[in-house]
């Protein structure tokens, strides 16, 4: 045992010595340059839990942010907002939460897990999506009531499913879906593969899918707009970086990127 | 009704079986040979479990296997019954269902096949064990169930693969006797694979000796026993074959000595020495000047035929002569001392034959024989001597050409 | 007494397996259990799960036992490769299996296209798709188990049957199959449990619609999104049902076999 303790002692003695020497060196130089200090710091990182529908746009914005703030890294965990809220409530190490609807955020807020009140940084609208070529001949929301057409909707428990239900109710349509997919991306995938004739997904998702699918606008979509709340979390490991990223997402530069991706920006 | 098989099969590796066997109905043919001789391969070919590479298998005029003609009957379409070495009873079926399996497969109704099975079990004396699973049968019982199972399909060709090998000595003797009775009743052709010469002698009408995939000898058991054509057969039936050279004038030179054998030809010969239970060789130093006379042999050698490179033995097959080897000659010839021989039970049948020969007084001196018997050391236990036809003690003594006995315990003559 | 080097990890291993289940039991809102159990959604999902798992097992037996026989008893070129491929679904993430099934049996899939064109059959989003997904992930378990049993069984018994006049099929039915019955039973139980718990391939290939394709695991997953308590209750139900069925099967089959 004693030998072992001795070994451990030797092992940590070296770094301490290095730290002392480098501390002396810094003191000796005594030129407090902000940039140098920042670069010399160990890299800072924040973990962002974000709704699956934000995957592409936030990945892009995260990279942009990292370029603007050297030495930082933004890591993402994309999933259904409700699942993310569950994970945050269960103590997952998250710094920022970007939800695709207010309900999951409310859960987090109710548990007092946010650092500051959430803000709406983007909004999304539903769009009918059909495979390219529109094999089912879907033209509007009314086709969702046709039992012969294969229709996919998001599960009611996830935000896009809630929104879809709301839109269909507003339009007075008794939809006959064949499947309730677990999230918006799974729904979109079924369209991309041509397994369903139509689905209701976010406009942004339709853009992401590119040529494989086609979006069909419908008037009722205006009446159900999905707000995306955003908040830095109370148990963030790096509160400064978290709030800096939240601020960045509300900057004009970020708003442009969001708009390009199909989001509405309030 | 006859079986005629000309079998050529090459197995993985470079083992080639090339053997011709024919047998009339109502006879039992024993395939005798060491492990790896191809006995079981031949049996598998006859059963249809192994296709021929070349040759022909014909039973009662029906061709079962002929590669050149493109004929190959699968085993289930051959009228064969097989008793496998470890019986291969179906473990999930009762004895009755095991026996009923064949008749049922050959188209009998369930009830009828069970009835047939019960009859067969009764015949082999196991009628009251019909409900037992094989796991709860003894070795002898399982063997009899296997025989009943093979016979229940009323085959015309009965194949037995080492049917007695898995039995202990006591059971084996009883089952062998029973098997003989069933084979006597069997009207078809029976082929029996064995490496035990006693099985072959007791059960078979014809013995085919296989060595390294070839038939080296073929004949009646008695002929095989008295005129072994190869060292293996000689070892099996209890004689030692020593290569020698006929010098003319009834003289034969062996490895290190010479002896007188009336009628010995000139040239290469094989001299058969019976393997004694207890050999007695007066130990004498070699005389100077080469081989001395062997006139003092304790055992009278008989001889089995002449060997010549250009001429086959009188018996069938063409064995190569055993390589002369000093250790072999001296280690197994009568002069080598105590030689226990392989452990084999004494069959009453063979003993009777021996007794008969002894009574006939053919070159025998019972008095000496008895004396030898009396010298059997206690360690020999209850085992009896081997059935050796024609091995009798004479007044002669075996000369000095025997090497000193090795680890074996010598039994000196008083 | 077992050596500590074995005993300690063994106990940790046991705890690791049992504590999560215990947590489920402890956290379960037992009060809600009767209500949840009585709800048509849960009953529907449960019934669907049991029916589909059983159907998948039956299908696995129908296809898997002959496949295992082929792998164990016959020789053909590329057999090793085939054996490796058969076990691929064991290591494949089930979602990938679901995608693969969709690519083949989907409406635009390699096979599904023709099914749709010629027979008007569309497999995705049907109960049949759930069974197919379950079979895809469960059959390898059965094949591996039965093949092992077949390899262990004595081929010479088949030969003995042949010499008694049994055709290959009769031999298989009356000799081979009874001999490997314990292996088949074990494989079937494994396959059944695997199919019962199947999630990834099901939700990817069969979709999720209550009463038609929403099995218990899917119901648990989606309940987790909105009502975690309900998810726990559903998990518990699934747990209880699997334990009960396994216990029953063990009594009936495995117990009989290991006697």
């Amino acid at each position: 045992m004693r030998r072992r303790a001795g070994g451990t002692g030797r092992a940590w003695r070296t770094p301490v010595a290095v730290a002392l020497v480098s501390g002396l060196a810094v003191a000796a130089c005594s030129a407090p340059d902000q940039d140098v200090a920042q670069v010399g710091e160990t890299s800072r990182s924040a973990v962002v839990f974000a709704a699956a529908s934000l995957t592409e746009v936030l990945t892009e914005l995260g990279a942009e942010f990292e370029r603007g703030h050297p030495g930082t890294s933004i890591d993402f965990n994309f999933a259904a907002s409700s699942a993310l809220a569950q994970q945050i409530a269960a103590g997952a190490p998250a710094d920022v939460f970007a939800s695709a609807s207010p309900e999951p955020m409310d859960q987090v807020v109710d548990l007092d897990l946010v650092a500051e009140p959430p803000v709406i940084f983007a909004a999304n609208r539903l769009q009918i999506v059909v495979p390219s070529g529109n094999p089912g001949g879907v033209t509007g929301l009314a086709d969702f009531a046709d039992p012969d057409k294969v229709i996919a909707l998001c599960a009611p428990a996830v935000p896009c499913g809630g929104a879809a239900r709301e839109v269909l109710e507003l339009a007075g349509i008794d939809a006959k879906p064949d499947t309730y997919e677990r999230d918006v991306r799974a729904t979109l995938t079924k369209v991309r593969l041509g397994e369903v004739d139509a689905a209701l997904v976010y406009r942004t998702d339709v853009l992401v899918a590119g040529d494989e699918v086609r979006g069909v606008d419908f008037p009722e979509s205006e009446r159900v707009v999905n707000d995306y709340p955003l908040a830095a979390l109370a148990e963030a490991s790096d509160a400064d970086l978290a709030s800096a990223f939240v601020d960045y997402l509300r900057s004009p530069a970020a708003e442009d990127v969001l708009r390009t991706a199909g989001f509405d920006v309030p | 009704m006859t079986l005629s098989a000309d079998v050529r099969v090459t197995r993985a590796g470079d083992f080639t079986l090339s053997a011709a066997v024919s047998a009339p109905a109502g006879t039992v043919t024993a395939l005798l040979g060491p492990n790896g001789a191809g006995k079981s391969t031949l049996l598998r070919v006859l059963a249809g479990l192994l296709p021929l590479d070349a040759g022909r298998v014909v039973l009662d005029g029906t061709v079962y296997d002929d590669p050149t003609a493109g004929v190959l009957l699968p085993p289930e379409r051959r009228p064969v019954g097989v008793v496998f070495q470890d019986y291969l009873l179906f473990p999930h079926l009762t004895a009755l269902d095991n026996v009923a399996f064949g008749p049922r497969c050959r188209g009998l109704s369930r009830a009828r096949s069970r009835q047939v099975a019960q009859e067969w079990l009764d015949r082999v004396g196991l009628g009251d064990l019909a409900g037992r699973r094989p796991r709860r049968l003894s070795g002898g019982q399982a063997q009899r169930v296997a025989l009943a199972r093979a016979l229940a399909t009323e085959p015309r060709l009965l194949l037995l693969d080492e049917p007695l090998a898995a039995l202990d000595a006591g059971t084996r003797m009883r089952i062998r006797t029973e098997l003989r009775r069933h084979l006597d009743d069997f009207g078809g052709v029976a082929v029996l694979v064995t490496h035990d010469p006693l099985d072959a002698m007791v059960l078979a009408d014809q013995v085919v000796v296989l060595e390294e995939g070839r038939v080296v000898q073929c004949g009646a058991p008695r002929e095989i026993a008295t005129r072994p054509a190869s060292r293996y057969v000689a070892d099996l039936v209890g004689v030692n074959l020593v290569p020698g050279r006929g010098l003319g004038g009834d003289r034969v030179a062996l490895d290190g000595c010479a002896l007188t054998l009336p009628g010995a030809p000139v040239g290469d010969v094989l001299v058969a020495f019976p393997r004694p239970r207890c050999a007695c060789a007066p130990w004498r130093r070699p005389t100077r000047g080469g081989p001395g006379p062997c006139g003092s042999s304790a055992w009278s050698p008989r001889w089995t035929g002449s060997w010549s490179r250009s001429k086959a033995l009188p018996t069938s097959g063409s064995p190569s002569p055993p390589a002369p080897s000093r250790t072999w000659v001296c280690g197994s010839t009568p002069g080598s001392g105590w030689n226990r021989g392989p452990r084999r039970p004494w069959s009453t049948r063979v003993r009777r034959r021996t007794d008969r020969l002894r009574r006939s007084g053919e070159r025998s001196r019972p008095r000496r024989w008895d004396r030898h018997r009396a010298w059997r050391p206690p360690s020999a236990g209850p085992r009896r001597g081997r059935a050796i036809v024609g091995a009798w003690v004479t007044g002669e003594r075996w000369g000095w050409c025997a090497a000193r006995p090795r680890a074996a315990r010598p039994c000196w003559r008083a | 007494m077992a050596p500590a080097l074995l005993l300690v990890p063994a106990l940790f291993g046991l705890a690791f397996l049992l504590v999560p289940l215990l947590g489920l039991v402890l956290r379960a809102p037992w009060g809600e259990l009767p209500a949840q159990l009585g709800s048509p959604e849960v009953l529907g999902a449960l019934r669907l799960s049991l029916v589909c798992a059983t159907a998948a097992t039956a299908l696995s037996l129908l296809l898997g036992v002959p496949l295992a026989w082929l792998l164990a008893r016959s020789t053909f070129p590329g057999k090793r490769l085939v054996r490796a491929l058969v076990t691929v679904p064991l290591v494949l993430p089930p979602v990938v299996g679901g995608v693969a099934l969709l690519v083949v049996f989907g409406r635009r899939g390699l096979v599904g296209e023709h099914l749709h064109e010629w027979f008007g059959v569309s497999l995705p989003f049907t109960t049949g798709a759930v069974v197919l997904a379950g079979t895809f992930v469960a059959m390898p378990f059965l094949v591996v188990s039965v093949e092992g049993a077949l390899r262990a069984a004595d081929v010479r018994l088949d030969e003995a049957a042949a010499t008694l006049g049994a055709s290959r099929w009769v031999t298989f039915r009356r000799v081979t199959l009874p001999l490997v019955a314990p292996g088949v039973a074990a494989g079937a139980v494994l396959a059944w449990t695997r199919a019962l718990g199947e999630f990834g391939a099901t939700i990817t290939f069969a979709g999720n619609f209550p009463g038609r394709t929403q099995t218990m695991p899917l119901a648990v997953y989606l309940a987790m999104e909105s009502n975690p308590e309900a998810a726990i209750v559903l998990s518990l139900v699934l747990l209880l049902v699997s334990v009960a069925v396994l216990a029953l099967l063990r009594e009936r089959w495995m117990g009989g076999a290991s006697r």
Side-chain angles (χ1 to χ4, degrees):
Chain A
M1 279 316 276
R2 204 182 297 163
R3 272 184 63 188
R4 206 164 177 161
T8 320
R10 257 199 309 283
W12 61 259
R13 224 175 277 148
T14 315
V16 167
V18 169
L20 279 174
V21 169
S22 52
L24 284 174
V26 169
C29 288
S30 71
D33 187 322
Q34 201 63 37
D35 288 329
V36 172
Q38 204 169 17
V39 170
E41 256 178 86
T42 51
S43 75
R44 304 165 59 181
S45 68
V47 178
V48 177
F49 276 32
S53 52
L54 291 165
T55 305
E56 284 77 17
V57 70
L58 275 197
T59 308
E60 187 186 340
L61 286 170
E64 199 62 40
F65 181 82
E66 284 169 2
R67 268 196 293 281
H69 298 73
T72 63
S73 86
I74 305 292
D75 302 318
F76 292 100
N77 175 18
F78 295 110
S81 306
S82 44
L84 293 173
Q86 290 291 337
Q87 292 173 13
I88 291 168
D95 299 293
V96 175
F97 180 36
S99 169
S101 69
E103 289 80 16
M105 184 59 90
D106 290 345
Q107 288 178 31
V108 178
V109 171
D110 288 346
L111 290 168
D112 243 357
L113 290 171
V114 290
E116 52 202 70
V119 291
I120 305 296
F121 78 108
N124 211 346
R125 271 182 288 160
L126 290 177
Q127 201 176 25
I128 297 172
V129 60
V130 297
S132 63
N134 197 359
V138 175
T139 52
L141 217 47
D143 288 312
F144 279 62
D146 182 352
D148 290 339
K149 292 192 168 55
V150 186
I151 304 294
L153 293 179
C154 295
V158 298
C160 74
R165 174 182 278 180
E166 213 174 315
V167 160
L168 289 164
E169 266 172 25
L170 279 171
I173 285 165
D174 181 20
K176 299 273 189 298
D178 292 275
T179 176
Y180 291 111
E181 292 297 309
R182 63 180 184 274
D183 59 37
V184 62
R185 286 303 155 95
T187 313
L188 186 64
T189 304
K190 293 290 195 294
V191 181
R192 290 168 92 156
L193 290 170
E195 292 303 330
V196 298
D197 295 320
L200 275 179
V201 297
Y202 292 116
R203 214 168 57 173
T204 52
D205 296 310
V206 180
L207 284 177
V208 168
D211 292 340
E212 290 176 56
V213 298
R214 206 161 53 102
V216 178
D217 279 314
F218 60 99
E220 292 86 351
S221 69
E222 301 287 344
R223 290 154 68 186
V224 180
V225 174
N226 218 37
D227 289 331
Y228 280 59
L230 170 75
L233 296 176
E235 289 173 14
S237 57
D238 190 335
D240 291 345
L241 186 63
S243 71
F245 187 66
V246 168
D247 290 343
Y248 170 74
L249 287 185
R250 304 183 64 206
S251 67
E255 285 178 358
D256 283 345
V257 175
L258 285 166
R259 274 201 197 87
T260 315
F263 286 98
D264 295 327
V265 177
Chain B
M1 193 148 77
T2 52
L3 166 75
S4 140
D6 176 16
V7 174
R8 280 192 291 282
V9 177
T10 302
R11 277 190 309 190
D14 52 356
F15 177 82
T16 303
L17 170 69
S18 176
V21 176
S22 66
T27 61
V28 180
T29 301
L31 301 177
L32 183 66
N35 289 334
K39 311 184 294 288
S40 293
T41 305
L42 181 51
L43 209 67
R44 286 174 64 79
V45 166
L46 295 180
L49 296 169
L50 198 66
L52 278 182
D53 290 330
R56 210 165 134 87
V57 175
V58 183
L59 182 68
D60 303 341
T62 310
V63 179
Y64 285 180
D65 195 347
D66 187 348
T68 49
V71 178
L72 176 60
L73 239 65
E76 63 265 24
R77 291 177 54 201
R78 298 184 182 202
V80 295
V82 186
V83 176
F84 291 90
Q85 186 171 1
D86 38 6
Y87 319 134
L88 294 178
L89 296 177
F90 303 126
H92 61 289
L93 298 180
T94 59
L96 184 73
D97 286 334
N98 261 286
V99 180
F101 188 94
R104 183 96 179 89
C105 286
R106 308 254 182 205
L108 261 61
S109 73
R110 185 183 302 264
R112 178 78 191 113
S113 51
R114 287 187 156 219
Q115 196 185 335
V116 169
Q118 186 63 52
E119 284 166 17
W120 273 104
L121 283 178
D122 290 339
R123 276 176 80 166
V124 297
L126 291 176
D128 47 343
L129 298 183
R132 281 214 187 162
R133 295 278 161 99
R135 168 175 67 206
R136 292 188 53 228
L137 293 173
S138 72
Q141 289 165 348
Q143 202 276 346
R144 284 184 283 169
V145 173
L147 182 67
R149 187 176 70 168
L151 289 172
T153 58
E154 291 173 4
R156 283 184 287 146
L157 177 60
L158 179 66
L159 305 170
L160 304 111
D161 191 358
E162 305 267 9
L164 305 169
L167 300 175
D168 60 72
T171 320
R172 182 191 288 213
M173 223 152 70
R174 205 182 68 242
I175 298 285
R176 186 188 289 127
T177 315
E178 271 182 36
L179 187 58
R180 173 73 254 181
R181 188 163 53 80
H182 289 296
L183 287 174
D184 286 342
D185 293 344
F186 179 65
V189 179
V191 178
L192 162 85
V193 157
T194 181
H195 64 258
D196 184 342
L198 210 53
D199 289 348
M201 303 293 163
V202 173
L203 298 173
D205 304 304
Q206 175 189 221
V207 177
V208 175
V209 182
L210 277 176
E211 276 181 65
E212 291 172 351
R214 307 181 75 83
V215 175
V216 295
Q217 197 172 3
C218 177
R222 183 180 174 141
E223 187 189 338
I224 303 283
T226 51
R227 302 171 76 84
S230 75
R231 178 178 154 191
Y232 166 75
V233 183
D235 278 350
L236 270 187
V237 300
V239 293
N240 293 313
L241 282 188
V242 180
R245 210 176 154 65
L247 304 172
D250 295 346
R251 297 283 293 168
V252 175
L254 294 182
D255 186 23
C257 67
L259 55 115
T260 305
L261 284 174
V266 179
D268 290 335
V269 294
L270 285 171
V271 183
F273 291 93
R275 183 186 290 156
R277 288 281 300 149
C278 171
C280 301
W283 196 248
R284 206 192 287 166
R285 287 197 57 77
T287 50
R288 267 175 231 280
C294 287
S296 56
S297 171
W299 303 85
S300 156
R302 304 186 91 210
W303 77 312
T304 64
S306 60
W307 166 259
S308 146
R309 269 167 230 287
S310 59
K311 207 165 66 179
L313 277 170
T315 48
S316 70
S318 53
S320 52
S325 142
R326 171 166 286 276
T327 48
W328 174 66
V329 169
C330 294
S332 54
T333 46
S336 65
W338 179 241
N339 189 338
R340 284 145 71 112
R343 299 170 183 222
R344 304 220 183 276
W346 176 260
S347 138
T348 47
R349 171 176 259 258
V350 176
R351 184 170 55 179
R352 228 176 275 132
R353 192 184 294 165
T354 312
D355 289 342
R356 195 166 56 240
L357 276 162
R358 186 142 49 116
R359 272 198 304 276
S360 75
E362 183 191 344
R363 296 175 66 104
S364 71
R365 301 272 290 266
R367 194 170 51 83
R368 292 285 174 88
W369 171 266
D370 291 339
R371 204 148 81 190
H372 283 289
R373 279 228 313 227
W375 293 332
R376 191 171 67 238
S379 69
R383 287 180 294 106
R384 304 290 196 84
R386 293 176 50 85
I388 298 157
V389 179
W392 312 116
V393 177
T394 69
E396 296 169 326
R397 294 189 306 173
W398 181 242
W400 50 267
C401 60
R404 178 185 286 280
R406 288 176 295 179
R409 190 144 42 120
C411 166
W412 302 112
R413 186 147 63 158
Chain C
M1 193 58 201
L5 269 176
L6 291 179
L7 196 61
V8 171
L11 290 179
F12 270 108
L14 190 65
F16 179 70
L17 290 178
L18 290 188
V19 167
L21 298 182
L22 194 67
L24 211 56
V25 172
L26 290 179
R27 285 288 299 276
W30 289 97
E32 276 188 41
L33 194 60
Q36 284 281 357
L37 268 179
S39 78
E41 292 84 30
V42 172
L43 281 182
L46 188 60
R47 198 177 53 83
L48 191 70
S49 275
L50 294 176
V51 167
C52 289
T54 308
T57 308
L59 192 58
S60 298
L61 282 169
L62 206 64
L63 306 177
V65 172
L67 179 56
W69 183 87
L70 203 68
L71 288 175
R73 287 290 162 85
S74 64
T75 47
F76 54 88
K79 186 168 124 175
R80 291 165 64 123
L81 183 70
V82 170
R83 181 181 293 129
L85 289 177
V86 164
T87 49
V88 161
L90 289 179
V91 292
L92 209 64
V95 179
V96 178
V99 171
L101 285 172
L102 210 50
V103 166
V104 174
F105 292 109
R107 227 165 44 157
R108 288 192 186 173
L110 297 172
V111 176
E113 194 177 19
H114 301 298
L115 283 179
H116 188 61
E117 224 171 90
W118 298 337
F119 308 108
V121 175
S122 177
L123 276 172
F125 317 118
T126 61
T127 306
V130 181
V131 175
L132 279 193
T135 307
F136 183 77
V137 294
M139 197 162 75
F141 285 91
L142 185 96
V143 172
V144 167
S145 169
V146 175
E147 198 206 334
L150 278 171
R151 286 169 166 277
D154 196 342
V155 190
R156 296 177 312 148
L157 285 170
D158 290 11
E159 293 183 350
T163 63
L164 291 169
S167 65
R168 295 282 288 253
W169 167 245
V170 170
T171 303
F172 175 76
R173 194 169 54 82
R174 292 200 51 204
V175 176
T176 317
L177 210 51
L179 284 176
V180 298
V184 174
V189 169
L190 271 178
W192 188 83
T193 47
R194 182 67 191 83
L196 189 72
E198 168 44 36
F199 170 77
T202 309
I203 201 165
T204 313
F205 177 50
N208 167 51
F209 192 85
R212 200 189 304 155
T213 57
Q214 191 181 70
T215 57
M216 283 298 276
L218 270 60
V220 171
Y221 178 83
L222 287 157
M224 205 61 201
E225 304 274 331
S226 53
N227 183 359
E229 299 236 306
I232 293 177
V233 171
L234 289 176
S235 312
L236 209 61
V237 170
L238 198 55
L239 182 71
L240 292 178
V241 168
S242 4
V243 168
V245 171
L246 283 183
L248 274 176
L249 288 182
R250 243 193 130 65
E251 288 285 302
R252 278 291 294 275
W253 292 353
M254 323 280 275
S258 62
R259 201 175 31 190

